Amino acid sequence: MTTAFVLSGGANLGATQVGMLTALAEAGERPDLVIGASVGALNGAWVAADAPLQELATVWRTLRRSDVFPAHPLRGLLGFAARSDHLVANSGLRRLLADHLRFENLQDAPVPFHVVATDLLSGAGVLLSHGAAAEAILASAAIPGVLPPVTIDGRAHIDGGVVNNTPISHAVDLGADIVWVLATGYSCALETPPRSALGLALHAAALVIHQRLSLDVEHYADKVDLRVVPPLCPIAIAPTDFSQAEDLISRSYQHTRAWLSQPRTPSPSSLFGDHPHHRNVSARRQSGPPPAVPGVLKENTSSNQPATASTSRRTQP
């Protein structure tokens, strides 16, 4: 049996994947291959390197907006004047990868590692499995208009989330029998829209990501043993706020542990169960955007535990 970990994008909410990964590791779950998109590619590189998750948690706890999206007013003006194709340089992400990436090429990863990007001109999704790991991750994280496209093999590439942010399809094509999906969710409890252009772009991208995930989960539910780790909800963190990583990691860890420990008889038609994110997606299909969800998630809350598509035994954490 081949087990794949699929990690979606989600900007600052990528911290939640650290809690998920820690709970899965404690439960004895290990991937045979890792596929990541956008921030999921950053976290996925850590998993593929078989590096200590405690160190990844430390990276997230010390991360700030300026480390990922360094402010450069002139760059924004140039973008507005059609003199630049992006608003923010990727120098911060490059520095982050230079400091922490543990292998030079994708094919050198101890655990097979694949990164999803989008060919800017053709619009086709691209699965990157060989070549410079840093360039592949930067390409996968290149939010259109925000971060610069990255040229690989003479072709410009942008964020994998444009076409396939939670690449379940690639995991299936690569022969995975069990697919763990680690989705970041989105800030579903914001009381007001993000005020900055960057924040609005990130939040809009997160909404698109979750919509695509919901559709993909429904499509692949009866084709593979699909195990969707429930994203946190509610979340009321601004898309550019990287200071809440400690809380996100802790809550996600407790939430995932509680979910793993609960026996269930899931059905493909309710992969998210009664999870608020799933209700929000369903509601939007019928009547437009839902109201903000009040309150905060409590640790070990049972009301937010969804079902999964797998009927196999769960390992107790």
Side-chain angles (χ1 to χ4, degrees):
M1 301 289 283
T2 300
T3 298
F5 279 13
V6 174
L7 292 85
S8 79
N12 58 341
L13 299 187
T16 64
Q17 291 175 339
V18 182
M20 295 174 183
L21 289 166
T22 303
L24 288 173
E26 290 181 357
E29 301 293 344
R30 298 289 187 274
D32 298 304
L33 62 95
V34 179
I35 306 174
S38 198
V39 76
L42 287 163
N43 288 334
W46 203 279
V47 179
D50 200 21
L53 291 173
Q54 297 92 328
E55 294 180 13
L56 178 60
T58 298
V59 171
W60 272 101
R61 291 182 182 116
T62 57
L63 205 60
R64 293 296 178 265
R65 169 182 166 167
S66 58
D67 297 323
V68 182
F69 301 113
H72 197 307
L74 179 58
R75 178 78 63 184
L77 289 174
L78 290 174
F80 182 76
R83 299 282 298 277
S84 174
D85 59 7
H86 59 280
L87 299 177
V88 181
N90 64 10
S91 55
L93 285 176
R94 282 191 178 277
R95 190 160 43 248
L96 191 66
L97 291 170
D99 290 342
H100 299 289
L101 192 59
R102 297 180 179 231
F103 46 87
E104 183 175 351
N105 295 306
L106 295 172
Q107 64 269 26
D108 298 331
V111 178
F113 181 47
H114 309 269
V115 173
V116 177
T118 301
D119 186 301
L120 178 58
L121 294 181
S122 71
V126 178
L127 187 67
L128 302 170
S129 304
H130 297 82
E135 295 305 301
I137 295 170
L138 287 170
S140 183
I143 303 167
V146 176
L147 291 165
V150 176
T151 301
I152 298 176
D153 295 333
R155 304 285 295 183
H157 292 76
I158 56 173
D159 194 335
V162 172
V163 173
N164 195 356
N165 189 78
T166 309
I168 299 171
S169 60
H170 290 302
V172 174
D173 291 342
L174 289 167
D177 303 291
I178 301 171
V179 179
W180 290 91
V181 178
L182 283 67
T184 62
Y186 62 97
S187 291
C188 55
L190 291 177
E191 295 183 356
T192 59
R195 296 180 180 178
S196 69
L198 176 60
L200 191 60
L202 294 175
H203 185 65
L207 293 176
V208 171
I209 287 166
H210 195 75
Q211 291 276 12
R212 172 63 187 262
L213 170 61
S214 180
L215 294 174
D216 280 359
V217 164
E218 292 175 4
H219 179 73
Y220 287 100
D222 59 354
K223 296 177 175 61
V224 68
D225 183 349
L226 194 60
R227 307 178 182 186
V228 183
V229 181
L232 287 178
C233 187
I235 297 176
I237 298 174
T240 55
D241 183 1
F242 284 80
S243 68
Q244 305 300 312
E246 175 65 42
D247 179 62
L248 290 172
I249 293 170
S250 176
R251 288 171 54 200
S252 181
Y253 168 72
Q254 296 292 344
H255 187 41
T256 304
R257 282 195 63 188
W259 173 73
L260 286 168
S261 69
Q262 290 191 352
R264 56 185 62 82
T265 305
S267 66
S269 63
S270 62
L271 291 162
F272 285 98
D274 195 37
H275 193 266
H277 272 313
H278 182 64
R279 294 200 303 270
N280 289 351
V281 170
S282 299
R284 275 197 301 277
R285 290 175 181 169
Q286 298 177 17
S287 58
V293 181
V296 295
L297 180 68
K298 302 298 183 183
E299 291 183 355
N300 295 317
T301 299
S302 59
S303 61
N304 285 334
Q305 310 307 321
T308 69
S310 170
T311 57
S312 61
R313 178 181 60 85
R314 296 285 181 187
T315 304
Q316 297 292 331

